[in-house]
Amino acid sequence: MRSRKGGDGIRAAASATSVGDGAKTHAGGGLRLGADTDRLWRLSLGLLAALALAGFVAGGFVLLLAGTGAELPVASILGDGYLRGVVFFTLEQAALSTLISVLAAIPLAAALHRARFRGRTSVLRIFLLPQALPVLVGALAIITVWGRNGVVSDLGAALGLPRFSIYGLEGILLAHAFFNIPLAARLMIAALDAVPRESWRLAGQLSFSPLTTFRLVEWPAIRRALPAAASLVFMLCATSFTIVLVLGGGPGATTLEVAIYQTLRYEFDPGRAVALSLLQIALTALVLTLATRLGSAEAGDFGLGGTARRHDTPSRWRSLFDLAVLFAGLLFILSPFVAILVAGLKADLVRLLTEPAVLDALVTSLWVSLSSGTLAIFLSVAILLGVEALASAERRAVIASAIPRRGLEITASLVLVVPPVVLGAGWFLGLRQVTNVFAAAPYVVVLTNMAMAVPFAVRILGPALQDAHLRSEKLADSLGMSGLSRFRLLDWPALRRPMGLAFALSVAISLGDLGAIALFGNREFTTLPYLLYQRMGSYRTEDAAGLALILGVVCLALIWFAERSSSLGARS
């Protein structure tokens, strides 16, 4: 999703001002000073955004403890046998989910990158769908396909096989694979896109066999992306909430995230909840540190396989293998969508769409998600401008260390390991001292969802902005561009296309979130995911299927509209 228009506006400006170059030679120092001042403003903006994000995250912990006068029961938690089992299961399911997702993504990414056929772009976009689908809808779809009364179990029973149990570790691994295999594959495709065209051309000229091409060209690129892909998937699985809440199946399949929710929702023990949160953050940070030492590639770009031109030697067996992999991948990804569509159409959609509770929940979901998505984009762009200002200082040897830039990047990413229920609960308790607690709940949910969306928006927008600065920053400096004109001519052309996807995913994340609303949902403040979870809990399965279809269609429509708009804007 990289924009190739990052320097077009700057080059046009350079052509327009080339006549006066001789008169401006003596002003080179002034141009440099203006560029440095602009970078200082960008850095200040990025630091303010990062501090606001970090302050919101840290404030949730502080207010949760200070608002209740609770203490951290660290000793009792470390000695609790049940919680040790919860920690072990959290790490076990996250490690197994990561292993399954990454191993399955390797042949899928290679097959997607090699494939050349009409409709390939549509196939690649299908693998974007799981990230746009609300997690609760995906969990319900997995149950519909793989559950005890699902399609797969019915086929197995017809063949005399036992029915598949979806609840417990097996169901969690299946659901995590559904969401994370496409994510890991997209990151690997981006790594394959980054391979120089000369490497593909040389492999073709030397008539490399498919195995040799994979060993010498494809695998080195994929290997560089493995640490980042594995760490991102592990972090998402270790902090998984909705999937484990729906498919966990009891105390034997509970993660730290769900234990934190239960501690706040049913026991209301803030000290224990914060201690469990700190334990989860410590464990996840340890794994991320180990993964970072294995490789330097970052989980940043989301490729659609459009930049590399391959010159592979034709191979019938490899083509058959790629076809089988693509068919299996499409079947695994599309079957839950088909199941939700079929089950949802069986529901009384007309009644649901005219039901006041559903309409209120839909309106609430839309304004909450649009608000949080907009705030996430503003915050992400501000942080990225600060990151690029520090990166520019590194390139010009003004700063000898990359630590400040890394610190700013980490600030935007570490909120992934912070349980949203803890953030929401802390601010909810703090604000009840100064305002109506029920009136404050929607704003707490908006800000919590915003914080959860920032890491994804930064990962989508960051590579495009970085490429634009590497290509055209010196030219912008030589023209003395600063302020809004610099943003309009250098940054905006690069951000315009990926911003549509970033905004759509940020909105979809908020629209399908159950973490924050699970604590504060009530009759006056209900979103579609919360209403869907209530209908599932009361065994109104037909209504739940209809609501899942409505929620899924809204999310996918937002993704399509945002991406369509950004694509049209990029061509204009």
Side-chain angles (χ1 to χ4, degrees):
M1 303 298 292
R2 295 182 179 179
S3 173
R4 294 184 175 273
K5 299 185 179 182
D8 292 351
I10 297 178
R11 294 185 183 93
S15 299
T17 57
S18 60
V19 177
D21 283 348
K24 293 182 179 180
T25 302
H26 69 281
L31 297 180
R32 172 63 64 185
L33 181 61
D36 289 341
T37 302
D38 185 78
R39 290 188 181 91
L40 182 60
W41 279 105
R42 289 169 175 247
L43 178 58
S44 301
L45 183 64
L47 289 175
L48 285 175
L51 287 174
L53 185 62
F56 177 75
V57 174
F61 281 92
V62 173
L63 288 173
L64 188 59
L65 287 175
T68 59
E71 297 181 355
L72 294 177
V74 177
S76 62
I77 285 179
L78 294 178
D80 191 326
Y82 168 71
L83 287 180
R84 286 199 298 270
V86 170
V87 171
F88 176 79
F89 182 80
T90 301
L91 297 176
E92 178 190 21
Q93 62 86 22
L96 290 176
S97 297
T98 302
L99 184 64
I100 293 171
S101 300
V102 170
L103 289 180
I106 292 174
L108 183 60
L112 283 168
H113 197 264
R114 286 191 293 256
R116 292 293 182 268
F117 56 87
R118 182 174 296 180
R120 174 177 178 270
T121 301
S122 299
V123 172
L124 288 166
R125 294 187 188 280
I126 288 174
F127 286 89
L128 293 172
L129 295 180
Q131 273 67 56
L133 191 70
V135 177
L136 185 58
V137 178
L140 183 60
I142 293 295
I143 294 175
T144 305
V145 176
W146 296 89
R148 187 169 183 81
N149 296 317
V151 178
V152 175
S153 290
D154 288 344
L155 290 175
L159 297 174
L161 300 174
R163 290 187 175 272
F164 183 72
S165 176
I166 193 66
Y167 296 102
L169 179 61
E170 296 82 359
I172 293 172
L173 296 179
L174 194 62
H176 281 162
F178 168 73
F179 283 103
N180 293 314
I181 288 176
L183 175 63
R186 285 163 54 199
L187 294 173
M188 294 175 190
I189 290 174
L192 290 169
D193 284 345
V195 174
R197 294 187 179 185
E198 292 76 14
S199 297
W200 300 116
R201 187 179 298 113
L202 183 60
Q205 291 173 346
L206 296 176
S207 300
F208 281 177
S209 67
L211 183 60
T212 303
T213 302
F214 179 81
R215 182 171 59 87
L216 297 181
V217 183
E218 293 175 329
W219 173 243
I222 292 175
R223 184 179 58 196
R224 285 193 296 272
L226 281 179
S231 60
L232 178 60
V233 172
F234 181 90
M235 188 162 50
L236 293 173
C237 295
T239 58
S240 177
F241 173 73
T242 305
I243 288 176
V244 181
L245 186 66
V246 175
L247 301 175
T254 299
T255 60
L256 279 169
E257 189 94 4
V258 175
I260 293 166
Y261 164 75
Q262 293 170 342
T263 299
L264 285 172
R265 181 77 176 185
Y266 303 115
E267 304 171 20
F268 195 71
D269 189 343
R272 184 182 178 90
V274 173
L276 289 173
S277 302
L278 293 175
L279 178 60
Q280 174 177 288
I281 292 172
L283 290 173
T284 311
L286 177 61
V287 173
L288 290 179
T289 301
L290 294 175
T292 301
R293 292 185 175 276
L294 294 177
S296 58
E298 296 181 7
D301 205 357
F302 291 81
L304 283 178
T307 61
R309 184 177 180 182
R310 303 180 56 134
H311 303 270
D312 298 69
T313 303
S315 171
R316 180 182 179 184
W317 291 110
R318 188 186 64 183
S319 299
L320 291 175
F321 174 78
D322 289 348
L323 182 63
V325 170
L326 290 176
F327 178 78
L330 285 173
L331 183 64
F332 182 65
I333 296 301
L334 285 179
S335 57
F337 287 92
V338 175
I340 282 294
L341 178 62
V342 173
L345 290 176
K346 292 180 180 179
D348 191 349
L349 294 177
V350 175
R351 176 183 60 80
L352 285 174
L353 289 172
T354 56
E355 187 177 329
V358 175
L359 293 177
D360 289 344
L362 177 59
V363 172
T364 300
S365 293
L366 287 175
W367 81 257
V368 166
S369 59
L370 290 173
S371 300
S372 62
T374 302
L375 291 173
I377 292 297
F378 274 115
L379 214 60
S380 300
V381 171
I383 291 174
L384 286 172
L385 291 177
V387 168
E388 285 306 315
L390 290 172
S392 176
E394 290 178 39
R395 289 191 290 267
R396 294 179 295 116
V398 177
I399 298 178
S401 173
I403 293 178
R405 176 174 56 85
R406 291 291 185 184
L408 201 56
E409 293 172 343
I410 289 173
T411 301
S413 299
L414 282 184
V415 292
L416 282 174
V417 303
V418 180
V421 292
V422 171
L423 295 184
W427 283 103
F428 190 81
L429 292 174
L431 290 175
R432 80 174 175 178
Q433 307 297 327
V434 295
T435 186
N436 182 347
V437 67
F438 295 106
Y443 305 103
V444 173
V445 172
V446 167
L447 293 176
T448 302
N449 290 342
M450 172 206 71
M452 295 300 113
V454 165
F456 298 95
V458 166
R459 280 178 167 83
I460 295 172
L461 297 174
L465 190 63
Q466 182 184 32
D467 286 352
H469 277 255
L470 288 174
R471 287 196 309 268
S472 306
E473 185 179 68
K474 290 183 179 180
L475 180 57
D477 289 348
S478 68
L479 294 173
M481 290 183 179
S482 61
L484 291 178
S485 63
R486 187 182 181 96
F487 181 83
R488 180 173 59 87
L489 295 173
L490 174 60
D491 304 313
W492 176 245
L495 291 173
R496 181 167 51 188
R497 184 172 183 179
M499 187 172 287
L501 178 60
F503 178 72
L505 283 180
S506 299
V507 171
I509 288 170
S510 177
L511 192 61
D513 175 68
L514 187 63
I517 191 65
L519 279 178
F520 312 124
N522 53 62
R523 295 182 63 180
E524 288 75 27
F525 180 50
T526 300
T527 62
L528 273 180
Y530 188 69
L531 184 63
L532 171 58
Y533 184 64
Q534 286 181 322
R535 298 289 169 91
M536 289 176 64
S538 58
Y539 298 102
R540 298 171 64 177
T541 54
E542 190 172 296
D543 279 3
L547 290 174
L549 178 60
I550 294 171
L551 184 57
V553 167
V554 171
C555 286
L556 295 178
L558 284 171
I559 293 287
W560 178 86
F561 179 77
E563 191 174 41
R564 180 71 175 171
S565 300
S566 61
S567 298
L568 292 175
R571 289 195 294 266
S572 62

